[in-house]
Amino acid sequence: MTMPAWEDDLRRWLADQPAAPAPIEEPVRPPNWKAELLREANFGWAPEAPPAAPPAVETPVIPAYIPPRRDLPRPYFTRHGYEPGQKPPSKAAMQDLIQQVYGATTPGLIYRMVADTPLFGALDTWRDGDLHHNHKLLRILFDRISAQLGDAYGFKAAPLGKLDHSKHFLGYYAYAEQAIFLSAAHLTDHPAHAVNTIAHEQAHRLQDLLVQAVTYRRKLSPPERSLALWWYDERTYDHRTHPAEYHHSLKEWHARQVGNSVAAGLGRVFGWPTELSNL
């Protein structure tokens, strides 16, 4: 029997094809006897996941001080009726100049004071009424608040003279000694009063240094020279003998602005009653 031509063609084509590759055998793997035993024992064990890495803690960026404004343009002064570097013509003009020069500096201090570890620790561990415990803490408060104010305003802060036990005042800046004296009553009082007093008296130190600069003809920026000329002419009053004049002097007005702002700012952090921050 003769095969059809197409079958001959198919047989020849199949003969020309390469041989099929041999199947690849899977390697024999040893059993995971530990996993098998645990599974059979039904302990419900599963390998522990590696501990998650703790979240990265970002170091807080402490903002830079906002320095006093020493570059006020001439139109600012002429709008108030005087030239740069001259004495302000009125109390209103002087108050406005104080705000323009120092207005943004004191509020910007609070973040840096809170970030000051010794200062924060002294306030956080203060014990109202504990004389012996607070003695060292008061010194820390004085040193750190003074240093922060000096850095922010750009002046050499006054040193601490001594603690006074007369109880006639909370504190004062002695012009002759160029030092600050604090009442020993702060040791048994709320720390807000010590904070306010230290900042208040260092403001008087700043005023005195500007007056010294204008007295000895040292170089000052026009705004600082205008401030210094006013404070040079303004009399310093004793609060016991001239209470009204003392209260209305712009030396005291400026010092109260600084002291109250610092105490109020720290008071918001530590939860002090609002009335304690104002002296």
Side-chain angles (χ1 to χ4, degrees), residues 2-276:
T2 304
M3 297 182 63
W6 63 267
E7 289 188 9
D8 287 337
D9 293 339
L10 177 60
R11 186 177 290 106
R12 283 193 298 272
W13 180 84
L14 290 174
D16 292 337
Q17 299 305 308
I24 299 176
E25 295 184 1
E26 292 289 335
V28 179
R29 300 177 185 274
N32 187 341
W33 58 267
K34 184 176 182 180
E36 292 295 330
L37 287 175
L38 289 170
R39 190 181 304 110
E40 290 177 6
N42 198 25
F43 286 145
W45 174 88
E48 293 185 2
V57 178
E58 293 186 5
T59 303
V61 177
I62 301 176
Y65 290 115
I66 301 175
R69 182 82 185 275
R70 298 184 175 95
D71 59 349
L72 292 173
R74 182 173 179 271
Y76 166 80
F77 296 92
T78 56
R79 186 166 64 248
H80 290 275
Y82 63 114
E83 290 292 326
Q86 292 183 353
K87 179 182 174 181
S90 65
K91 291 185 72 170
M94 177 62 173
Q95 285 178 311
D96 193 81
L97 180 61
I98 291 172
Q99 293 285 32
Q100 289 293 323
V101 176
Y102 299 123
T105 302
T106 307
L109 269 171
I110 304 305
Y111 192 101
R112 297 187 69 95
M113 286 187 171
V114 172
D116 188 318
T117 302
L119 174 55
F120 187 96
L123 291 173
D124 195 43
T125 57
W126 187 276
R127 300 175 190 167
D128 292 359
D130 193 331
L131 178 86
H132 299 289
H133 175 79
N134 296 336
H135 196 279
K136 183 182 292 186
L137 300 184
L138 182 61
R139 181 63 194 233
I140 294 173
L141 290 184
F142 182 88
D143 289 345
R144 298 312 307 152
I145 291 173
S146 299
Q148 293 283 359
L149 285 167
D151 288 344
Y153 285 90
F155 73 100
K156 184 179 180 180
L160 179 62
K162 65 177 182 178
L163 295 181
D164 193 290
H165 295 269
S166 63
K167 298 183 180 181
H168 294 309
F169 53 83
L170 292 174
Y172 68 91
Y173 171 68
Y175 291 89
E177 293 92 339
Q178 296 192 44
I180 291 172
F181 295 81
L182 296 177
S183 170
H186 287 301
L187 295 174
T188 55
D189 201 354
H190 194 282
H193 294 158
V195 168
N196 197 324
T197 301
I198 294 166
H200 181 111
E201 300 308 327
Q202 289 292 4
H204 286 318
R205 164 68 167 178
L206 171 61
Q207 296 163 3
D208 182 41
L209 290 177
L210 290 181
V211 169
Q212 289 183 43
V214 80
T215 301
Y216 297 107
R217 300 179 182 275
R218 296 171 188 154
K219 187 176 181 180
L220 289 172
S221 67
E224 289 175 314
R225 190 172 190 279
S226 293
L227 294 170
L229 287 173
W230 180 282
W231 283 323
Y232 177 86
D233 288 338
E234 186 176 67
R235 179 181 170 183
T236 300
Y237 293 96
D238 189 310
H239 72 283
R240 292 167 294 184
T241 57
H242 297 81
E245 292 86 349
Y246 168 86
H247 182 78
H248 289 101
S249 75
L250 291 190
K251 286 181 180 177
E252 288 305 312
W253 183 84
H254 171 234
R256 283 195 301 271
Q257 293 282 315
V258 176
N260 290 346
S261 295
V262 171
L266 291 175
R268 287 191 293 272
V269 175
F270 289 94
W272 299 339
T274 305
E275 61 272 13
L276 292 177

